[in-house]
Each structure stands twice: as C-alpha cells, then as structure tokens.
Amino acid sequence: MSFAGAVARFNDAAVRDLAWLLFSPDLLSASHAGAPLACPVESDKRAAVSGWLEALDDNPEALHALVRKPSLRRLGLYAEALLEYFLTHGPNARLIAANVPLRAAGQTLGEVDFLLHNARRERLHWELAVKFYLHIGEGAAALSDYVGPNLQDRFDLKHDRLLHHQLGLSARDEFASLGFEGPWRAELFVKGRLFYRQGAAPTLPPELADDHLRGWWMTVSEWQESKGDEAFAVVPRLAWLAERSLSNEEAGTLTFDAGALTSPTMVANYDRSAGDIWRERSRGFIVPDEWPERALRYARLTTT
C-alpha cells in the first residue's frame, strides 16, 4: 500500500496525523543526513502497527485526551504528543522518557525529546522535528534556500542545531548523572513537506531525500491569475500534517481573501466533484507579493 493510502484510510484526524508521522517519507537522505535516521516502524512490524492504528481509529478517545489539550497550540508540541502516545501504547517500541531537560550550573543546556527501547532492545535517543519550508532561489539548491514561511527559521540552521547540539545531549556527562543508563544511539526524526515555486524544479541538495513530500507556493498575484474556478481553503496550522477532506460546512469556515493576506498562508486545493465532500488535491502556500524578495535576503543571510 502507498504512503497516501496508508494514511487516508483512517477516519479520525488525529489517527491520520499519527499515521502520517509514522509512515511519511523522511525529509533527509539516509546517506547524507549527517546522523542515523529514526525508523519508527520496522518493515516486519508494519502490519502490527497498521492493525494497532485501525483499532485506535475505532476508539480514539485516549489519543484525543493527550493531543487535544488546549495547551498544545504549536504544531511541534502536537507532533511530540502524537509520537509520545505511539511510543507509550504502540506495538513497536517502549518509551523510557520524553522531554528530558538537561541542566548544568543552574542553566538549561537543552531537552532530549525521546528515549526509548526498540523491538531489538536498542537504547535510542530520538530528536523530532516536523518542518515546512519554502524553497527560494533558482538553479542548484542548498539547505539554506529552504526557509520558514515567517522567515524565522531555515533548514540549514535547524539541521546544524540538530546535529551539533540536540543529538549530543544524551552523550554528555551531565546527562549520565540523570540515571538513564546508556549509551544511547542518537537518531534524527525529521518529517514535513517542502514547497517549491510553481513550475520550479531545482537540483536538490544531497542532504534531502529524493522522495520527500512536496507542495507548491505562489505569490498572491500569481495565484489570483491562475486559480480559475479551482476550490481552495486555508489549512489551519494544527492540520498541516495529514491530508484532509472537508464537508461543505467546514470548507465555508476556511475561505479567505487572498488580497488581504499579510503573511504566507498554507492552503489546499480541493476536488469538489464528490458532492458534499471536498477532497484534497494538493497543498501550497500563498505569499504576499513582496515576500520572495525578503525570503531571498534571508536565505543569503550569513549567520555566526
């Protein structure tokens, strides 16, 4: 079964998001990521995990209790809660600890996302990142050409911090003193989607997986000129993971005025041929007309 099929068959939105987190392609290439990549579902455990998700889809109340807390307003926290539920209750691993703060001399050095034992009883340290970057520029791409929609994040900077700070936390002497018996194998768990200007096909940097999830982006002017009679709706931030189908009523609450957009906004293009159900065709960002110039400056910004 394809990745899309493995996710779309679940009815509950939170279960679909969890399936997306487990089965979606990695953003990073296993051969050039700079560190081992996490494997949340081993090939011989795929059927067991799928069956567990099917049962969860029938009775998702316990999952909802964890991931629908009012305090989980950030997408990263929502994704962490999903993965914590899987590691706590799923058939593939056993959670040892989550969100372990590391302090020294009264200062917080960082936080270890997940410690777990996999099915082979290996001690693993996972650092989770779920990222949505827009590619800016032309020609051969570098990781620095992938920028966050609000220009407060960049893929090369995130990648560097994961490799040279986050993954090393579980190997520090201060961490050993917390009582978690090691050593821990530190692995990257990086999922998400990368968005390319409509019609662009840059040469990918070696760090990226060839099969990473893709979307498109357009300026407001470009979108208004090309949209025709196509149906679009805003994708709320906590719905950025798995694809969504909408009822007519739901779609009506997510309409937008592109001319009034002041910041990049994720939208989905929908097929309305199925009566009262809007089925998602693609994901993209609509950005203000001046955004590409600012984004290019941010991509070229040298940091120290």
Side-chain angles (χ1 to χ4, degrees), residues 7-8 19 55 63 72 75 86 90 94 106 108 124 136 143 153 168 197 209 213 240 252 258 271 281 284 297-298 304:
V7 173
L63 176 63
L72 295 184
L75 185 63
F86 172 71
R94 182 167 70 88
T108 299
L124 303 181
I136 190 74
L143 277 189
D153 187 15
R197 193 160 197 170
L213 296 181
W240 281 15
D271 177 1
R281 285 175 170 166
R297 288 198 302 269
Y298 180 63
T304 57

Side-chain angles (χ1 to χ4, degrees), residues 218-225 227 232 234 255-263 265 267 286-289:
M218 287 185 277
T219 65
V220 169
S221 294
E222 291 168 341
W223 179 79
Q224 289 175 328
E225 291 176 1
K227 67 182 180 67
F232 293 84
V234 170
T255 57
F256 62 97
D257 176 7
L261 293 182
T262 58
S263 61
T265 300
V267 302
I286 300 174
V287 305
D289 287 347

Side-chain angles (χ1 to χ4, degrees), residues 1-245:
M1 182 182 296
S2 68
F3 154 68
V7 173
R9 62 197 183 97
F10 299 114
N11 296 314
D12 183 76
V15 175
R16 282 200 306 274
D17 284 340
L18 176 52
W20 181 96
L21 196 63
L22 298 176
F23 294 124
S24 64
D26 294 295
L27 286 186
L28 294 171
S29 165
S31 60
H32 292 85
L37 298 183
C39 183
V41 182
E42 302 284 353
S43 58
D44 61 340
K45 297 290 185 180
R46 192 177 183 95
V49 171
S50 295
W52 178 80
L53 286 169
E54 289 172 1
L56 184 62
D57 197 38
D58 290 335
N59 295 285
E61 291 79 11
L63 176 63
H64 293 172
L66 181 65
V67 305
R68 291 185 175 177
K69 297 176 181 177
S71 59
L72 295 184
R73 297 177 180 176
R74 289 170 47 200
L75 185 63
L77 295 178
Y78 173 61
E80 287 181 1
L82 289 169
L83 187 54
E84 181 178 349
Y85 187 90
F86 172 71
L87 293 176
T88 302
H89 302 285
N92 201 43
R94 182 167 70 88
L95 180 67
I96 303 302
N99 302 314
V100 181
L102 181 60
R103 300 183 178 91
Q107 292 188 334
T108 299
L109 302 177
E111 190 173 86
V112 171
D113 284 350
F114 296 97
L115 298 174
L116 62 136
H117 290 165
N118 65 8
R120 295 187 296 274
R121 299 293 297 171
E122 294 172 315
R123 296 183 178 95
L124 303 181
H125 161 202
W126 284 355
E127 284 297 318
L128 173 65
V130 180
K131 307 305 294 183
F132 297 82
Y133 292 117
L134 285 69
H135 172 262
I136 190 74
E138 299 178 355
L143 277 189
S144 58
D145 295 328
Y146 293 85
V147 301
N150 292 325
L151 304 183
Q152 297 177 345
D153 187 15
R154 212 170 68 189
F155 205 167
D156 63 319
L157 303 179
K158 181 63 178 181
H159 185 235
D160 184 76
R161 181 167 177 79
L162 285 168
L163 289 181
H164 300 115
H165 180 71
Q166 292 298 123
L167 288 184
L169 291 175
S170 59
R172 295 183 65 125
D173 292 340
E174 297 91 341
F175 188 79
S177 68
L178 296 179
F180 297 105
E181 182 182 354
W184 299 91
R185 174 182 165 93
E187 298 181 335
L188 293 168
F189 194 126
V190 183
K191 299 297 182 83
R193 191 184 297 265
L194 303 179
F195 297 80
Y196 296 86
R197 193 160 197 170
Q198 190 80 335
T203 301
L204 299 179
E207 296 92 343
L208 292 184
D210 290 337
D211 64 344
H212 68 266
L213 296 181
R214 289 166 167 82
W216 49 266
W217 68 265
M218 287 185 277
T219 65
V220 169
S221 294
E222 291 168 341
W223 179 79
Q224 289 175 328
E225 291 176 1
S226 64
K227 67 182 180 67
D229 294 330
E230 296 287 323
F232 293 84
V234 170
V235 181
R237 192 168 185 86
L238 290 186
W240 281 15
L241 303 185
E243 294 181 356
R244 294 287 196 274
S245 294

Side-chain angles (χ1 to χ4, degrees), residues 263-283:
S263 61
T265 300
M266 186 189 285
V267 302
N269 174 221
Y270 287 93
D271 177 1
R272 292 181 293 183
S273 63
D276 293 336
I277 300 298
W278 292 29
R279 302 199 181 281
E280 186 172 329
R281 285 175 170 166
S282 67
R283 290 266 177 107

